[in-house]
Amino acid sequence: MSQATHGGIIIRNARFHVTLKLNYKHMKLNKLLWASALISVSFACSDSGEEKPLGKYDNGILIMNEGNFGTNDGEVYYLNPNTEELLPNIFEAENLRPFAGLLEDMVLEADRLYLVANTGKVEIVNPADFKSLGAVSAELDQPRSLAVNGSKLFISDYGPYDASYATPDSYVAVVNGLDGGVVSKKIEVSDKPEDLFSYENYIFVASSEANKIEIIDATQETVVTTIELEASPKQFNAEGGILWVYAIATDEVIFYTLNLSSLTLENSYTVPVANATNRISFDGDDKMYILTSSGYPDYNDAVVTIDIEGNTATATELMTGSGFYGIGFDDDLDQIYVANSNGFQGNGTVTVLSETGSVIRSFEVGRGPSGFLVY
């Protein structure tokens, strides 16, 4: 392993040679707000190439409101960023029943939107009109995220707590069918799996407590490869044939890059940032926005932007406050979205910032806003 230091940023080069041939597959949009482009016309192309009118929720920003523990009132709001129209509780409005869970993640895959609730279910809706397509509502414990591979769903799950509130029985659940159904298998993985990434016939698992990436063969439904890291992986993001891995260590964050054509762990960028959380958004151009928090009792929070260019990286504090709970970036308008839970005392708020940190506007949303998604 070679190591070089550039302006306080440590860059390590390491190569793990793995005999797997992988091809790029759809990437999951997880707890981050980014898109290669926003559609600015009123029609979209169908699979047949014909144009069809966009649905009610096809062009805008979805705001994920986690909900309050105990009342399980998680919900999704829809925002049109151009007109600033805000529609609340769109799952309940379109399905005539409450979501009834704590929202952990929103995953847009295979023309479906998967709403992952860490209270033990996944709701599946048509992203155009938010009408229910199905669900996974049994055999799950504490699901965290989801990825699609072929006709299968893979769902990361902490598993049940033991007597000491540890999670030794974490797993990735397999469901045969894109519209949900029963869990056909639980693949044992290391404690507290978080984000998933689907790539050809493989599922990458961010095993956060074990500081490793575990790779599942989607056909065999078993772990076939493990890559050890020096920090706790939280999120994946694919850019230009490279998979970024966001990881947290003590008083620093590390961004690993994994070459998808060779499955080789290449560079790592270590940035000294204290109290980093797992909340991150990528802007699609080697810039990341993360939230930091000192935690109880002070809750001194901040929005930090990290710029990675070539072999250098810089961290800049854009905004400070208390109660920051989610972060996102609108790549079309170059605006940052910061969600504030307001201590779960009533509804949360969202503040929109410019790239330099200037406040553009704020508005009220649901309980515990924690994530954003553009499509």
Side-chain angles (χ1 to χ4, degrees):
M1 174 180 291
S2 63
Q3 176 174 305
T5 302
H6 299 265
I9 309 303
I10 300 173
I11 302 168
R12 301 183 181 92
N13 297 308
R15 294 189 178 273
F16 292 76
H17 296 286
V18 184
T19 57
L20 298 176
K21 182 179 179 181
L22 305 181
N23 294 316
Y24 183 74
K25 198 174 180 71
H26 287 319
M27 148 126 203
K28 182 181 75 65
L29 303 182
N30 178 298
K31 280 198 174 171
L32 48 88
L33 187 161
W34 72 277
S36 59
L38 285 176
I39 300 170
S40 61
V41 296
S42 59
F43 290 87
C45 290
S46 67
D47 291 339
S48 66
E50 297 178 353
E51 289 186 336
K52 62 180 180 179
L54 286 176
K56 186 176 182 180
Y57 306 112
D58 264 332
N59 190 5
I61 297 172
L62 298 181
I63 301 171
M64 181 173 71
N65 302 285
E66 180 179 298
N68 193 42
F69 181 77
T71 54
N72 293 352
D73 53 352
E75 252 294 357
V76 180
Y77 280 32
Y78 168 81
L79 171 70
N80 184 322
N82 297 309
T83 66
E84 299 184 15
E85 176 188 25
L86 183 67
L87 300 178
N89 304 329
I90 60 176
F91 181 90
E92 182 172 7
E94 299 298 343
N95 296 288
L96 304 180
R97 60 182 174 91
F99 179 77
L102 295 179
L103 260 172
E104 180 65 31
D105 203 359
M106 299 186 296
V107 179
L108 182 62
E109 286 259 23
D111 297 324
R112 295 161 176 83
L113 182 65
Y114 296 90
L115 306 175
V116 181
N118 64 21
T119 38
K121 69 172 182 175
V122 176
E123 294 275 4
I124 306 162
V125 300
N126 179 349
D129 59 17
F130 245 70
K131 301 294 186 183
S132 177
L133 297 173
V136 182
S137 57
E139 299 298 322
L140 296 176
D141 293 284
Q142 301 181 76
R144 304 294 293 179
S145 193
L146 179 148
V148 172
N149 191 288
S151 61
K152 296 179 183 180
L153 305 180
F154 291 81
I155 305 167
S156 57
D157 198 306
Y158 279 5
Y161 286 121
D162 63 13
S164 59
Y165 293 98
T167 55
D169 298 319
S170 295
Y171 57 88
V172 172
V174 183
V175 176
N176 292 302
L178 299 183
D179 292 330
V182 300
V183 173
S184 62
K185 184 175 181 178
K186 293 182 178 180
I187 305 168
E188 182 180 349
V189 294
S190 300
D191 284 3
K192 293 183 173 55
E194 294 285 353
D195 201 14
L196 300 177
F197 179 79
S198 181
Y199 189 86
E200 200 180 70
N201 197 43
Y202 297 89
I203 299 293
F204 292 69
V205 184
S207 298
S208 64
E209 197 156 279
N211 291 3
K212 63 179 66 171
I213 297 171
E214 292 171 291
I215 302 176
I216 293 171
D217 183 300
T219 300
Q220 299 177 24
E221 298 179 359
T222 186
V223 175
V224 294
T225 303
T226 299
I227 299 176
E228 302 285 344
L229 303 177
E230 298 174 351
S232 173
K234 302 297 185 181
Q235 297 284 337
F236 296 116
N237 185 61
E239 294 287 341
I242 295 175
L243 181 63
W244 288 92
V245 184
Y246 169 60
I248 297 174
T250 303
D251 295 329
E252 62 188 19
V253 298
I254 301 177
F255 292 92
Y256 297 95
T257 60
L258 183 67
N259 189 298
L260 291 177
S261 62
S262 62
L263 195 62
T264 303
L265 191 63
E266 295 184 323
N267 295 329
S268 67
Y269 302 79
T270 301
V271 190
V273 177
N275 303 319
T277 70
N278 65 346
R279 308 299 194 189
I280 183 171
S281 180
F282 294 76
D283 78 344
D285 191 28
D286 290 349
K287 181 178 289 187
M288 299 79 168
Y289 299 93
I290 66 173
L291 296 183
T292 67
S293 179
S294 64
Y296 180 84
D298 300 320
Y299 290 104
N300 294 318
D301 302 342
V303 177
V304 176
T305 177
I306 296 175
D307 236 329
I308 296 178
E309 188 170 340
N311 290 330
T312 63
T314 56
T316 305
E317 191 174 89
L318 292 182
M319 179 185 184
T320 59
S322 178
F324 296 166
Y325 203 58
I327 186 76
F329 186 80
D330 184 340
D331 191 51
D332 188 56
L333 299 177
D334 292 329
Q335 294 177 345
I336 307 162
Y337 282 68
V338 182
N340 195 311
S341 69
N342 295 327
F344 285 87
Q345 303 301 306
N347 285 341
T349 55
V350 170
T351 300
V352 184
L353 307 176
S354 70
E355 288 185 292
T356 60
S358 300
V359 174
I360 297 172
R361 66 182 184 279
S362 295
F363 52 91
E364 183 177 299
V365 289
R367 187 72 65 89
S370 59
F372 306 86
L373 188 141
V374 158
Y375 67 95

